[in-house]
Amino acid sequence: MPKKNDSQVILTRSGHKKLVEELTHLKTAGRQEVARQLEVARGFGDLSENAEYAAAKDEQSKVESRILELETMLGNVTVVDEEKLDTSRVAIGLTVQLEDLDSAGKVHTYSLVGSEELSSLGVSQSGIQRISQKSPVGQAILGHSVGDEVSVTIPRGTRKLRILSIMREK
């Protein structure tokens, strides 16, 4: 698994693709929509007391901030090739099946992703919940192998989990 420094961002291929698509959309359609909103707002007259103009300028600021954030992030990215990952240890880009030893053996399946891509993805195409490597569960299982038991501190207390399997998402 690639090492992560403070400025480096680790993404799966699908997470990288989504963020590139978002950046492209913001630079084209997003900026065009803001320009249209500004043009309409200018038509309402005095800009100093124009709520529509102020709202459009606020939206412009948000779009430009997100573009800068995405460009910075994508400029420091390491894309994980899930096909080449070793499935003997939990790593970003792999899917993990966990047994909750404190809940009568309830089993959870998670795909571990970089925290920067989590909000853009949600549930995977195969319906598997995605979790960040920075989440309590993600931190606890990262680098562990099948059969390992880990303790995770979550808001409801400490849970004991056993890693049942580590696999590539299909």
Side-chain angles (χ1 to χ4, degrees):
M1 182 182 88
K3 297 287 183 217
K4 185 177 190 288
N5 64 35
D6 288 342
S7 64
Q8 185 182 26
V9 176
I10 301 174
L11 299 172
T12 62
R13 283 181 293 160
S14 61
H16 181 261
K17 180 181 176 199
K18 292 274 188 192
L19 292 178
V20 168
E21 288 170 355
E22 180 185 355
L23 178 60
T24 301
H25 172 77
L26 289 172
K27 285 180 148 184
T28 56
R31 281 180 170 160
Q32 289 171 0
E33 176 58 22
V34 167
R36 187 195 65 73
Q37 290 172 4
L38 285 167
E39 188 61 35
V40 168
R42 280 189 193 101
F44 292 128
D46 183 9
L47 298 182
S48 66
E49 296 181 19
N50 187 328
E52 289 83 2
Y53 184 77
K57 288 298 280 182
D58 186 49
E59 183 63 23
Q60 181 183 40
S61 176
K62 288 177 186 175
V63 166
E64 294 303 323
S65 292
R66 182 62 178 162
I67 287 171
L68 182 60
E69 178 184 16
L70 288 169
E71 287 176 337
T72 301
M73 189 184 310
L74 292 170
N76 295 306
V77 72
T78 298
V79 179
V80 174
D81 186 352
E82 296 95 325
E83 308 254 333
K84 295 181 180 178
L85 289 175
D86 175 8
T87 58
S88 67
R89 297 207 172 271
V90 177
I92 295 172
L94 294 175
T95 299
V96 183
Q97 196 171 50
L98 303 170
E99 178 183 10
D100 186 339
L101 300 174
D102 297 322
S103 293
K106 187 172 182 181
V107 175
H108 305 277
T109 303
Y110 299 111
S111 182
L112 194 63
V113 298
S115 60
E116 291 80 2
E117 70 184 277
L118 189 61
S119 63
S120 70
L121 293 174
V123 176
S124 72
Q125 290 177 349
S126 58
I128 296 172
Q129 172 90 29
R130 294 181 185 264
I131 61 169
S132 164
Q133 94 277 11
K134 291 183 179 179
S135 69
V137 172
Q139 288 178 2
I141 64 174
L142 200 58
H144 284 275
S145 302
V146 172
D148 287 357
E149 292 183 10
V150 297
S151 293
V152 181
T153 302
I154 58 174
R156 295 183 313 235
T158 301
R159 307 299 283 186
K160 202 156 183 73
L161 305 172
R162 178 182 299 127
I163 300 172
L164 298 177
S165 67
I166 304 168
M167 61 205 141
R168 291 178 188 89
E169 191 173 325
K170 294 175 177 126

